[in-house]
Amino acid sequence: MTSARHNIIPLIESYYHTFTPLERTIGDFFIHNTEEQDFSSRTIASQLFVSEASLSRFAQKCGFHGYREFIYEYKQILKPDEEETVSDFDIQEFNTYQELLNKSSALLDNSQITRIVNLLVSMPRVYVYGRGSSGLVAQEMQLRFMRIGLNIEAVTDSHVMKMNSVILGKDCLVIAISVSGETAEIISSLRAAKKQGACTILMTARQDKGYQEFCDETLIFASKEHLERGNIISPQFPILLMLDVLYSRYLQIDRQKKEALHEYTIQSLLQS
């Protein structure tokens, strides 16, 4: 398990799509509960009208060995912690941003970030796939990393993604971005990239063991119900948070050279 154990609500949400109706009832209870109580399997099973075995299967689906381990970690988020107190904003949008910030911090896996940054350093060519709002993040990633010397290209057209698969090889890294994790063009293109021998990473809000078939890494970012629709805040926000983390870690490697290159690039743009 990762640092998400310190706040397992976003972890439950990322597995939510895999739950049966019964498991969603259990998941809803733990997501919305805010009070310390008797969390014994017998008591919760009786309260939710489910079996104790269902609680155990639910915990295992979330990545825990069993219900006892799950509930031990769950209790940690109910303990007051002054350092993690969320500001009481009056504006709904601010509360949503704060919620996503907290979830992003909980989901961050430092060892995974290190592995991905090492791939960015070692791979001669990097491609970032994205459609719609995810495509905008792909373009932002290209602009930022290109300024500090990374050979990176954003691909936001599905036809170009298909054509691009022809030139991919073992010296390529393909990063695909999809909030839902179900964008057909993105997933099929990532599968094609893997078949060509490229190293593949999927950035998504959706946990799915099936991604292991064609992804070397699955980088999970925070989400909120209907986030991909952009009806409350921009769905780009939690993805950009992860992008900032990757950028910061990548910049630390040979920082002086990268900062000098960044300054040179900015000056070149100003003179044009």
Side-chain angles (χ1 to χ4, degrees), residues 43-91:
T43 299
I44 298 302
S46 175
Q47 181 177 336
L48 300 181
F49 301 102
V50 300
S51 67
E52 292 183 53
S54 295
L55 292 176
S56 179
R57 286 192 294 270
F58 167 81
Q60 290 171 357
K61 188 167 284 189
C62 290
F64 295 87
H65 294 299
Y67 180 74
R68 181 176 296 181
E69 182 187 13
F70 167 82
I71 211 62
Y72 173 81
E73 296 298 337
Y74 181 77
K75 286 181 179 179
Q76 306 308 307
I77 68 173
L78 299 177
K79 295 180 180 180
D81 189 335
E82 292 182 3
E83 294 182 358
E84 295 183 2
T85 300
V86 178
S87 300
D88 187 17
F89 293 111
D90 294 326
I91 301 176

mmCIF file of all heavy atoms in Angstrom, residues 43-91:
data_model
loop_
_atom_site.group_PDB
_atom_site.id
_atom_site.type_symbol
_atom_site.label_atom_id
_atom_site.label_comp_id
_atom_site.label_asym_id
_atom_site.label_seq_id
_atom_site.Cartn_x
_atom_site.Cartn_y
_atom_site.Cartn_z
ATOM 1 N N THR A 43 -20.797 -5.471 13.884
ATOM 2 C CA THR A 43 -21.652 -4.282 14.028
ATOM 3 C C THR A 43 -21.941 -3.638 12.667
ATOM 4 O O THR A 43 -23.085 -3.309 12.351
ATOM 5 C CB THR A 43 -20.978 -3.246 14.944
ATOM 6 O OG1 THR A 43 -20.797 -3.831 16.237
ATOM 7 C CG2 THR A 43 -21.826 -1.996 15.061
ATOM 8 N N ILE A 44 -20.911 -3.447 11.845
ATOM 9 C CA ILE A 44 -21.097 -2.796 10.550
ATOM 10 C C ILE A 44 -21.916 -3.679 9.611
ATOM 11 O O ILE A 44 -22.767 -3.188 8.858
ATOM 12 C CB ILE A 44 -19.733 -2.456 9.911
ATOM 13 C CG1 ILE A 44 -18.970 -1.472 10.807
ATOM 14 C CG2 ILE A 44 -19.921 -1.860 8.521
ATOM 15 C CD1 ILE A 44 -19.698 -0.169 11.072
ATOM 16 N N ALA A 45 -21.681 -4.983 9.656
ATOM 17 C CA ALA A 45 -22.456 -5.901 8.820
ATOM 18 C C ALA A 45 -23.933 -5.818 9.168
ATOM 19 O O ALA A 45 -24.802 -5.789 8.282
ATOM 20 C CB ALA A 45 -21.950 -7.328 9.000
ATOM 21 N N SER A 46 -24.228 -5.747 10.461
ATOM 22 C CA SER A 46 -25.617 -5.638 10.907
ATOM 23 C C SER A 46 -26.226 -4.300 10.506
ATOM 24 O O SER A 46 -27.370 -4.215 10.064
ATOM 25 C CB SER A 46 -25.686 -5.813 12.424
ATOM 26 O OG SER A 46 -27.003 -5.610 12.907
ATOM 27 N N GLN A 47 -25.425 -3.242 10.625
ATOM 28 C CA GLN A 47 -25.910 -1.897 10.313
ATOM 29 C C GLN A 47 -26.203 -1.725 8.821
ATOM 30 O O GLN A 47 -27.174 -1.059 8.440
ATOM 31 C CB GLN A 47 -24.866 -0.862 10.756
ATOM 32 C CG GLN A 47 -25.264 0.586 10.516
ATOM 33 C CD GLN A 47 -24.219 1.547 11.058
ATOM 34 O OE1 GLN A 47 -23.453 1.207 11.960
ATOM 35 N NE2 GLN A 47 -24.180 2.739 10.515
ATOM 36 N N LEU A 48 -25.366 -2.348 7.970
ATOM 37 C CA LEU A 48 -25.524 -2.199 6.521
ATOM 38 C C LEU A 48 -26.317 -3.341 5.883
ATOM 39 O O LEU A 48 -26.519 -3.340 4.667
ATOM 40 C CB LEU A 48 -24.143 -2.106 5.853
ATOM 41 C CG LEU A 48 -23.247 -0.942 6.289
ATOM 42 C CD1 LEU A 48 -21.928 -0.982 5.530
ATOM 43 C CD2 LEU A 48 -23.946 0.393 6.072
ATOM 44 N N PHE A 49 -26.711 -4.318 6.706
ATOM 45 C CA PHE A 49 -27.460 -5.484 6.213
ATOM 46 C C PHE A 49 -26.657 -6.255 5.167
ATOM 47 O O PHE A 49 -27.155 -6.626 4.097
ATOM 48 C CB PHE A 49 -28.821 -5.064 5.623
ATOM 49 C CG PHE A 49 -29.701 -4.343 6.604
ATOM 50 C CD1 PHE A 49 -29.823 -2.956 6.547
ATOM 51 C CD2 PHE A 49 -30.387 -5.033 7.584
ATOM 52 C CE1 PHE A 49 -30.621 -2.273 7.454
ATOM 53 C CE2 PHE A 49 -31.200 -4.360 8.511
ATOM 54 C CZ PHE A 49 -31.310 -2.984 8.443
ATOM 55 N N VAL A 50 -25.375 -6.453 5.483
ATOM 56 C CA VAL A 50 -24.500 -7.253 4.623
ATOM 57 C C VAL A 50 -23.830 -8.313 5.491
ATOM 58 O O VAL A 50 -23.922 -8.276 6.719
ATOM 59 C CB VAL A 50 -23.428 -6.379 3.931
ATOM 60 C CG1 VAL A 50 -24.072 -5.305 3.072
ATOM 61 C CG2 VAL A 50 -22.491 -5.743 4.964
ATOM 62 N N SER A 51 -23.146 -9.228 4.872
ATOM 63 C CA SER A 51 -22.448 -10.263 5.630
ATOM 64 C C SER A 51 -21.039 -9.791 5.987
ATOM 65 O O SER A 51 -20.491 -8.885 5.347
ATOM 66 C CB SER A 51 -22.368 -11.551 4.808
ATOM 67 O OG SER A 51 -21.527 -11.371 3.679
ATOM 68 N N GLU A 52 -20.453 -10.408 6.990
ATOM 69 C CA GLU A 52 -19.081 -10.080 7.367
ATOM 70 C C GLU A 52 -18.115 -10.471 6.243
ATOM 71 O O GLU A 52 -17.088 -9.825 6.039
ATOM 72 C CB GLU A 52 -18.710 -10.790 8.669
ATOM 73 C CG GLU A 52 -19.494 -10.259 9.879
ATOM 74 C CD GLU A 52 -19.070 -10.913 11.183
ATOM 75 O OE1 GLU A 52 -17.859 -10.903 11.469
ATOM 76 O OE2 GLU A 52 -19.952 -11.425 11.904
ATOM 77 N N ALA A 53 -18.472 -11.523 5.503
ATOM 78 C CA ALA A 53 -17.646 -11.933 4.372
ATOM 79 C C ALA A 53 -17.626 -10.853 3.297
ATOM 80 O O ALA A 53 -16.604 -10.637 2.629
ATOM 81 C CB ALA A 53 -18.173 -13.245 3.796
ATOM 82 N N SER A 54 -18.756 -10.149 3.115
ATOM 83 C CA SER A 54 -18.826 -9.065 2.132
ATOM 84 C C SER A 54 -17.888 -7.927 2.521
ATOM 85 O O SER A 54 -17.251 -7.314 1.665
ATOM 86 C CB SER A 54 -20.256 -8.544 2.018
ATOM 87 O OG SER A 54 -21.116 -9.529 1.505
ATOM 88 N N LEU A 55 -17.798 -7.658 3.823
ATOM 89 C CA LEU A 55 -16.883 -6.616 4.302
ATOM 90 C C LEU A 55 -15.430 -7.016 4.009
ATOM 91 O O LEU A 55 -14.617 -6.179 3.610
ATOM 92 C CB LEU A 55 -17.073 -6.390 5.800
ATOM 93 C CG LEU A 55 -18.399 -5.771 6.242
ATOM 94 C CD1 LEU A 55 -18.469 -5.708 7.767
ATOM 95 C CD2 LEU A 55 -18.555 -4.369 5.657
ATOM 96 N N SER A 56 -15.125 -8.290 4.198
ATOM 97 C CA SER A 56 -13.768 -8.777 3.940
ATOM 98 C C SER A 56 -13.424 -8.669 2.452
ATOM 99 O O SER A 56 -12.333 -8.210 2.089
ATOM 100 C CB SER A 56 -13.650 -10.227 4.400
ATOM 101 O OG SER A 56 -12.350 -10.729 4.147
ATOM 102 N N ARG A 57 -14.372 -9.054 1.593
ATOM 103 C CA ARG A 57 -14.129 -8.970 0.145
ATOM 104 C C ARG A 57 -13.976 -7.520 -0.292
ATOM 105 O O ARG A 57 -13.155 -7.200 -1.157
ATOM 106 C CB ARG A 57 -15.276 -9.638 -0.619
ATOM 107 C CG ARG A 57 -15.255 -11.164 -0.553
ATOM 108 C CD ARG A 57 -16.218 -11.758 -1.561
ATOM 109 N NE ARG A 57 -17.602 -11.444 -1.240
ATOM 110 C CZ ARG A 57 -18.371 -12.199 -0.470
ATOM 111 N NH1 ARG A 57 -17.883 -13.314 0.082
ATOM 112 N NH2 ARG A 57 -19.627 -11.862 -0.221
ATOM 113 N N PHE A 58 -14.763 -6.632 0.308
ATOM 114 C CA PHE A 58 -14.671 -5.203 0.001
ATOM 115 C C PHE A 58 -13.276 -4.682 0.340
ATOM 116 O O PHE A 58 -12.643 -3.972 -0.461
ATOM 117 C CB PHE A 58 -15.719 -4.435 0.792
ATOM 118 C CG PHE A 58 -15.530 -2.940 0.789
ATOM 119 C CD1 PHE A 58 -15.952 -2.175 -0.288
ATOM 120 C CD2 PHE A 58 -14.908 -2.297 1.860
ATOM 121 C CE1 PHE A 58 -15.765 -0.796 -0.302
ATOM 122 C CE2 PHE A 58 -14.721 -0.924 1.855
ATOM 123 C CZ PHE A 58 -15.152 -0.174 0.768
ATOM 124 N N ALA A 59 -12.776 -5.031 1.526
ATOM 125 C CA ALA A 59 -11.455 -4.572 1.961
ATOM 126 C C ALA A 59 -10.365 -5.098 1.031
ATOM 127 O O ALA A 59 -9.433 -4.372 0.656
ATOM 128 C CB ALA A 59 -11.195 -5.021 3.393
ATOM 129 N N GLN A 60 -10.485 -6.358 0.640
ATOM 130 C CA GLN A 60 -9.491 -6.954 -0.261
ATOM 131 C C GLN A 60 -9.519 -6.294 -1.631
ATOM 132 O O GLN A 60 -8.479 -6.107 -2.262
ATOM 133 C CB GLN A 60 -9.751 -8.457 -0.381
ATOM 134 C CG GLN A 60 -9.432 -9.219 0.902
ATOM 135 C CD GLN A 60 -9.898 -10.660 0.851
ATOM 136 O OE1 GLN A 60 -10.520 -11.098 -0.111
ATOM 137 N NE2 GLN A 60 -9.615 -11.407 1.919
ATOM 138 N N LYS A 61 -10.706 -5.922 -2.098
ATOM 139 C CA LYS A 61 -10.804 -5.269 -3.394
ATOM 140 C C LYS A 61 -10.133 -3.897 -3.350
ATOM 141 O O LYS A 61 -9.659 -3.391 -4.372
ATOM 142 C CB LYS A 61 -12.272 -5.149 -3.819
ATOM 143 C CG LYS A 61 -12.452 -4.663 -5.248
ATOM 144 C CD LYS A 61 -13.871 -4.852 -5.747
ATOM 145 C CE LYS A 61 -14.173 -6.273 -6.099
ATOM 146 N NZ LYS A 61 -15.492 -6.427 -6.780
ATOM 147 N N CYS A 62 -10.085 -3.291 -2.171
ATOM 148 C CA CYS A 62 -9.425 -1.990 -2.006
ATOM 149 C C CYS A 62 -7.918 -2.128 -1.800
ATOM 150 O O CYS A 62 -7.223 -1.130 -1.608
ATOM 151 C CB CYS A 62 -10.039 -1.234 -0.830
ATOM 152 S SG CYS A 62 -11.724 -0.658 -1.121
ATOM 153 N N GLY A 63 -7.432 -3.384 -1.804
ATOM 154 C CA GLY A 63 -5.997 -3.589 -1.708
ATOM 155 C C GLY A 63 -5.485 -3.992 -0.341
ATOM 156 O O GLY A 63 -4.266 -4.065 -0.137
ATOM 157 N N PHE A 64 -6.386 -4.252 0.597
ATOM 158 C CA PHE A 64 -5.974 -4.648 1.938
ATOM 159 C C PHE A 64 -6.061 -6.171 2.084
ATOM 160 O O PHE A 64 -6.765 -6.844 1.331
ATOM 161 C CB PHE A 64 -6.851 -3.970 2.988
ATOM 162 C CG PHE A 64 -6.694 -2.478 3.021
ATOM 163 C CD1 PHE A 64 -7.449 -1.663 2.187
ATOM 164 C CD2 PHE A 64 -5.782 -1.878 3.876
ATOM 165 C CE1 PHE A 64 -7.309 -0.287 2.203
ATOM 166 C CE2 PHE A 64 -5.629 -0.501 3.898
ATOM 167 C CZ PHE A 64 -6.384 0.300 3.063
ATOM 168 N N HIS A 65 -5.368 -6.704 3.091
ATOM 169 C CA HIS A 65 -5.400 -8.151 3.307
ATOM 170 C C HIS A 65 -6.767 -8.599 3.823
ATOM 171 O O HIS A 65 -7.206 -9.713 3.552
ATOM 172 C CB HIS A 65 -4.310 -8.563 4.298
ATOM 173 C CG HIS A 65 -2.926 -8.344 3.771
ATOM 174 N ND1 HIS A 65 -2.459 -8.970 2.636
ATOM 175 C CD2 HIS A 65 -1.911 -7.563 4.220
ATOM 176 C CE1 HIS A 65 -1.215 -8.593 2.402
ATOM 177 N NE2 HIS A 65 -0.855 -7.733 3.345
ATOM 178 N N GLY A 66 -7.414 -7.725 4.562
ATOM 179 C CA GLY A 66 -8.718 -8.077 5.108
ATOM 180 C C GLY A 66 -9.366 -6.884 5.768
ATOM 181 O O GLY A 66 -8.812 -5.776 5.786
ATOM 182 N N TYR A 67 -10.542 -7.108 6.337
ATOM 183 C CA TYR A 67 -11.313 -6.004 6.925
ATOM 184 C C TYR A 67 -10.600 -5.403 8.125
ATOM 185 O O TYR A 67 -10.650 -4.193 8.330
ATOM 186 C CB TYR A 67 -12.694 -6.520 7.342
ATOM 187 C CG TYR A 67 -13.570 -5.447 7.955
ATOM 188 C CD1 TYR A 67 -14.146 -4.461 7.162
ATOM 189 C CD2 TYR A 67 -13.803 -5.425 9.330
ATOM 190 C CE1 TYR A 67 -14.942 -3.464 7.719
ATOM 191 C CE2 TYR A 67 -14.601 -4.444 9.893
ATOM 192 C CZ TYR A 67 -15.163 -3.463 9.092
ATOM 193 O OH TYR A 67 -15.951 -2.481 9.649
ATOM 194 N N ARG A 68 -9.913 -6.239 8.905
ATOM 195 C CA ARG A 68 -9.245 -5.725 10.107
ATOM 196 C C ARG A 68 -8.174 -4.698 9.739
ATOM 197 O O ARG A 68 -8.072 -3.644 10.365
ATOM 198 C CB ARG A 68 -8.630 -6.884 10.897
ATOM 199 C CG ARG A 68 -7.934 -6.432 12.190
ATOM 200 C CD ARG A 68 -7.427 -7.621 12.962
ATOM 201 N NE ARG A 68 -8.518 -8.479 13.405
ATOM 202 C CZ ARG A 68 -8.349 -9.580 14.131
ATOM 203 N NH1 ARG A 68 -7.120 -9.954 14.480
ATOM 204 N NH2 ARG A 68 -9.382 -10.310 14.491
ATOM 205 N N GLU A 69 -7.366 -4.994 8.726
ATOM 206 C CA GLU A 69 -6.338 -4.055 8.282
ATOM 207 C C GLU A 69 -6.977 -2.791 7.710
ATOM 208 O O GLU A 69 -6.517 -1.677 7.971
ATOM 209 C CB GLU A 69 -5.445 -4.707 7.229
ATOM 210 C CG GLU A 69 -4.321 -3.791 6.758
ATOM 211 C CD GLU A 69 -3.527 -4.367 5.604
ATOM 212 O OE1 GLU A 69 -3.986 -5.361 4.993
ATOM 213 O OE2 GLU A 69 -2.454 -3.819 5.291
ATOM 214 N N PHE A 70 -8.042 -2.981 6.923
ATOM 215 C CA PHE A 70 -8.738 -1.837 6.334
ATOM 216 C C PHE A 70 -9.244 -0.897 7.410
ATOM 217 O O PHE A 70 -9.040 0.322 7.344
ATOM 218 C CB PHE A 70 -9.904 -2.329 5.475
ATOM 219 C CG PHE A 70 -10.866 -1.245 5.064
ATOM 220 C CD1 PHE A 70 -10.609 -0.423 3.977
ATOM 221 C CD2 PHE A 70 -12.043 -1.033 5.785
ATOM 222 C CE1 PHE A 70 -11.491 0.588 3.609
ATOM 223 C CE2 PHE A 70 -12.932 -0.038 5.427
ATOM 224 C CZ PHE A 70 -12.653 0.778 4.341
ATOM 225 N N ILE A 71 -9.923 -1.440 8.411
ATOM 226 C CA ILE A 71 -10.559 -0.583 9.414
ATOM 227 C C ILE A 71 -9.526 0.088 10.308
ATOM 228 O O ILE A 71 -9.735 1.204 10.801
ATOM 229 C CB ILE A 71 -11.584 -1.387 10.244
ATOM 230 C CG1 ILE A 71 -12.722 -0.460 10.693
ATOM 231 C CG2 ILE A 71 -10.953 -2.069 11.444
ATOM 232 C CD1 ILE A 71 -13.520 0.141 9.560
ATOM 233 N N TYR A 72 -8.369 -0.568 10.496
ATOM 234 C CA TYR A 72 -7.296 0.065 11.273
ATOM 235 C C TYR A 72 -6.841 1.338 10.581
ATOM 236 O O TYR A 72 -6.675 2.391 11.218
ATOM 237 C CB TYR A 72 -6.122 -0.902 11.440
ATOM 238 C CG TYR A 72 -4.923 -0.258 12.090
ATOM 239 C CD1 TYR A 72 -4.853 -0.106 13.469
ATOM 240 C CD2 TYR A 72 -3.866 0.227 11.312
ATOM 241 C CE1 TYR A 72 -3.759 0.509 14.068
ATOM 242 C CE2 TYR A 72 -2.771 0.841 11.890
ATOM 243 C CZ TYR A 72 -2.721 0.974 13.269
ATOM 244 O OH TYR A 72 -1.643 1.603 13.856
ATOM 245 N N GLU A 73 -6.635 1.256 9.274
ATOM 246 C CA GLU A 73 -6.207 2.432 8.517
ATOM 247 C C GLU A 73 -7.321 3.462 8.412
ATOM 248 O O GLU A 73 -7.076 4.667 8.453
ATOM 249 C CB GLU A 73 -5.744 2.012 7.116
ATOM 250 C CG GLU A 73 -4.525 1.117 7.100
ATOM 251 C CD GLU A 73 -3.294 1.786 7.686
ATOM 252 O OE1 GLU A 73 -3.249 3.044 7.696
ATOM 253 O OE2 GLU A 73 -2.400 1.066 8.145
ATOM 254 N N TYR A 74 -8.558 2.986 8.284
ATOM 255 C CA TYR A 74 -9.690 3.905 8.152
ATOM 256 C C TYR A 74 -9.842 4.766 9.403
ATOM 257 O O TYR A 74 -10.150 5.956 9.314
ATOM 258 C CB TYR A 74 -10.970 3.113 7.910
ATOM 259 C CG TYR A 74 -12.204 3.982 7.738
ATOM 260 C CD1 TYR A 74 -12.445 4.647 6.534
ATOM 261 C CD2 TYR A 74 -13.104 4.158 8.783
ATOM 262 C CE1 TYR A 74 -13.561 5.453 6.380
ATOM 263 C CE2 TYR A 74 -14.232 4.966 8.636
ATOM 264 C CZ TYR A 74 -14.448 5.607 7.425
ATOM 265 O OH TYR A 74 -15.557 6.407 7.282
ATOM 266 N N LYS A 75 -9.610 4.177 10.563
ATOM 267 C CA LYS A 75 -9.767 4.919 11.818
ATOM 268 C C LYS A 75 -8.793 6.088 11.920
ATOM 269 O O LYS A 75 -9.062 7.074 12.618
ATOM 270 C CB LYS A 75 -9.563 3.982 13.008
ATOM 271 C CG LYS A 75 -10.719 3.028 13.266
ATOM 272 C CD LYS A 75 -10.427 2.145 14.479
ATOM 273 C CE LYS A 75 -11.577 1.205 14.768
ATOM 274 N NZ LYS A 75 -11.292 0.338 15.937
ATOM 275 N N GLN A 76 -7.646 5.973 11.213
ATOM 276 C CA GLN A 76 -6.640 7.032 11.300
ATOM 277 C C GLN A 76 -7.156 8.364 10.764
ATOM 278 O O GLN A 76 -6.762 9.429 11.242
ATOM 279 C CB GLN A 76 -5.371 6.626 10.531
ATOM 280 C CG GLN A 76 -4.786 5.282 10.927
ATOM 281 C CD GLN A 76 -4.565 5.136 12.412
ATOM 282 O OE1 GLN A 76 -3.928 5.978 13.048
ATOM 283 N NE2 GLN A 76 -5.101 4.053 12.979
ATOM 284 N N ILE A 77 -8.049 8.312 9.766
ATOM 285 C CA ILE A 77 -8.521 9.564 9.171
ATOM 286 C C ILE A 77 -9.573 10.240 10.037
ATOM 287 O O ILE A 77 -9.933 11.392 9.786
ATOM 288 C CB ILE A 77 -9.099 9.332 7.752
ATOM 289 C CG1 ILE A 77 -10.407 8.529 7.814
ATOM 290 C CG2 ILE A 77 -8.093 8.652 6.860
ATOM 291 C CD1 ILE A 77 -11.114 8.414 6.485
ATOM 292 N N LEU A 78 -10.078 9.525 11.051
ATOM 293 C CA LEU A 78 -11.084 10.112 11.940
ATOM 294 C C LEU A 78 -10.455 10.801 13.139
ATOM 295 O O LEU A 78 -11.132 11.489 13.885
ATOM 296 C CB LEU A 78 -12.053 9.028 12.431
ATOM 297 C CG LEU A 78 -12.852 8.305 11.330
ATOM 298 C CD1 LEU A 78 -13.708 7.215 11.951
ATOM 299 C CD2 LEU A 78 -13.715 9.283 10.557
ATOM 300 N N LYS A 79 -9.126 10.605 13.291
ATOM 301 C CA LYS A 79 -8.438 11.248 14.398
ATOM 302 C C LYS A 79 -8.146 12.701 14.048
ATOM 303 O O LYS A 79 -7.645 12.986 12.965
ATOM 304 C CB LYS A 79 -7.131 10.521 14.709
ATOM 305 C CG LYS A 79 -7.348 9.104 15.220
ATOM 306 C CD LYS A 79 -6.018 8.423 15.503
ATOM 307 C CE LYS A 79 -6.235 7.014 16.015
ATOM 308 N NZ LYS A 79 -4.952 6.316 16.294
ATOM 309 N N PRO A 80 -8.437 13.646 14.937
ATOM 310 C CA PRO A 80 -8.170 15.062 14.629
ATOM 311 C C PRO A 80 -6.689 15.330 14.499
ATOM 312 O O PRO A 80 -5.872 14.799 15.239
ATOM 313 C CB PRO A 80 -8.756 15.798 15.852
ATOM 314 C CG PRO A 80 -8.734 14.773 16.951
ATOM 315 C CD PRO A 80 -8.995 13.451 16.284
ATOM 316 N N ASP A 81 -6.346 16.116 13.510
ATOM 317 C CA ASP A 81 -4.954 16.499 13.256
ATOM 318 C C ASP A 81 -4.944 17.964 12.862
ATOM 319 O O ASP A 81 -5.371 18.335 11.789
ATOM 320 C CB ASP A 81 -4.360 15.656 12.134
ATOM 321 C CG ASP A 81 -2.858 15.870 11.990
ATOM 322 O OD1 ASP A 81 -2.385 16.962 12.389
ATOM 323 O OD2 ASP A 81 -2.183 14.961 11.499
ATOM 324 N N GLU A 82 -4.433 18.806 13.758
ATOM 325 C CA GLU A 82 -4.483 20.251 13.534
ATOM 326 C C GLU A 82 -3.752 20.653 12.257
ATOM 327 O O GLU A 82 -4.147 21.581 11.570
ATOM 328 C CB GLU A 82 -3.870 20.981 14.730
ATOM 329 C CG GLU A 82 -4.721 20.838 15.996
ATOM 330 C CD GLU A 82 -4.109 21.613 17.145
ATOM 331 O OE1 GLU A 82 -3.075 22.288 16.917
ATOM 332 O OE2 GLU A 82 -4.664 21.570 18.250
ATOM 333 N N GLU A 83 -2.673 19.929 11.922
ATOM 334 C CA GLU A 83 -1.883 20.297 10.749
ATOM 335 C C GLU A 83 -2.635 20.041 9.456
ATOM 336 O O GLU A 83 -2.335 20.615 8.426
ATOM 337 C CB GLU A 83 -0.571 19.515 10.745
ATOM 338 C CG GLU A 83 0.338 19.898 11.896
ATOM 339 C CD GLU A 83 1.636 19.145 11.831
ATOM 340 O OE1 GLU A 83 1.785 18.312 10.910
ATOM 341 O OE2 GLU A 83 2.506 19.379 12.680
ATOM 342 N N GLU A 84 -3.643 19.136 9.500
ATOM 343 C CA GLU A 84 -4.351 18.793 8.286
ATOM 344 C C GLU A 84 -5.753 19.398 8.244
ATOM 345 O O GLU A 84 -6.580 19.027 7.436
ATOM 346 C CB GLU A 84 -4.440 17.269 8.157
ATOM 347 C CG GLU A 84 -3.083 16.613 7.990
ATOM 348 C CD GLU A 84 -3.212 15.120 7.791
ATOM 349 O OE1 GLU A 84 -4.367 14.635 7.743
ATOM 350 O OE2 GLU A 84 -2.180 14.444 7.687
ATOM 351 N N THR A 85 -6.020 20.315 9.160
ATOM 352 C CA THR A 85 -7.332 20.936 9.185
ATOM 353 C C THR A 85 -7.566 21.731 7.907
ATOM 354 O O THR A 85 -6.747 22.539 7.497
ATOM 355 C CB THR A 85 -7.465 21.882 10.392
ATOM 356 O OG1 THR A 85 -7.281 21.120 11.583
ATOM 357 C CG2 THR A 85 -8.842 22.538 10.402
ATOM 358 N N VAL A 86 -8.700 21.514 7.275
ATOM 359 C CA VAL A 86 -9.041 22.195 6.033
ATOM 360 C C VAL A 86 -9.702 23.538 6.358
ATOM 361 O O VAL A 86 -10.576 23.619 7.200
ATOM 362 C CB VAL A 86 -10.011 21.337 5.186
ATOM 363 C CG1 VAL A 86 -10.397 22.072 3.917
ATOM 364 C CG2 VAL A 86 -9.374 19.998 4.869
ATOM 365 N N SER A 87 -9.263 24.591 5.696
ATOM 366 C CA SER A 87 -9.849 25.904 5.906
ATOM 367 C C SER A 87 -11.336 25.883 5.590
ATOM 368 O O SER A 87 -11.787 25.248 4.634
ATOM 369 C CB SER A 87 -9.141 26.940 5.019
ATOM 370 O OG SER A 87 -7.777 26.999 5.337
ATOM 371 N N ASP A 88 -12.099 26.579 6.377
ATOM 372 C CA ASP A 88 -13.552 26.585 6.219
ATOM 373 C C ASP A 88 -13.957 27.667 5.223
ATOM 374 O O ASP A 88 -14.463 28.716 5.575
ATOM 375 C CB ASP A 88 -14.212 26.814 7.582
ATOM 376 C CG ASP A 88 -15.727 26.655 7.502
ATOM 377 O OD1 ASP A 88 -16.210 26.063 6.506
ATOM 378 O OD2 ASP A 88 -16.411 27.122 8.418
ATOM 379 N N PHE A 89 -13.740 27.411 3.943
ATOM 380 C CA PHE A 89 -14.117 28.366 2.908
ATOM 381 C C PHE A 89 -15.629 28.380 2.744
ATOM 382 O O PHE A 89 -16.316 27.392 2.951
ATOM 383 C CB PHE A 89 -13.474 27.993 1.566
ATOM 384 C CG PHE A 89 -11.983 28.139 1.550
ATOM 385 C CD1 PHE A 89 -11.180 27.015 1.477
ATOM 386 C CD2 PHE A 89 -11.394 29.392 1.605
ATOM 387 C CE1 PHE A 89 -9.799 27.135 1.450
ATOM 388 C CE2 PHE A 89 -10.018 29.514 1.580
ATOM 389 C CZ PHE A 89 -9.226 28.394 1.505
ATOM 390 N N ASP A 90 -16.164 29.526 2.367
ATOM 391 C CA ASP A 90 -17.585 29.649 2.133
ATOM 392 C C ASP A 90 -17.950 29.315 0.694
ATOM 393 O O ASP A 90 -19.097 29.016 0.386
ATOM 394 C CB ASP A 90 -18.068 31.080 2.451
ATOM 395 C CG ASP A 90 -17.936 31.391 3.937
ATOM 396 O OD1 ASP A 90 -18.117 30.450 4.728
ATOM 397 O OD2 ASP A 90 -17.655 32.552 4.281
ATOM 398 N N ILE A 91 -16.969 29.396 -0.206
ATOM 399 C CA ILE A 91 -17.251 29.197 -1.619
ATOM 400 C C ILE A 91 -17.085 27.722 -1.979
ATOM 401 O O ILE A 91 -16.056 27.112 -1.699
ATOM 402 C CB ILE A 91 -16.319 30.064 -2.481
ATOM 403 C CG1 ILE A 91 -16.500 31.547 -2.118
ATOM 404 C CG2 ILE A 91 -16.608 29.849 -3.963
ATOM 405 C CD1 ILE A 91 -15.570 32.477 -2.841
#
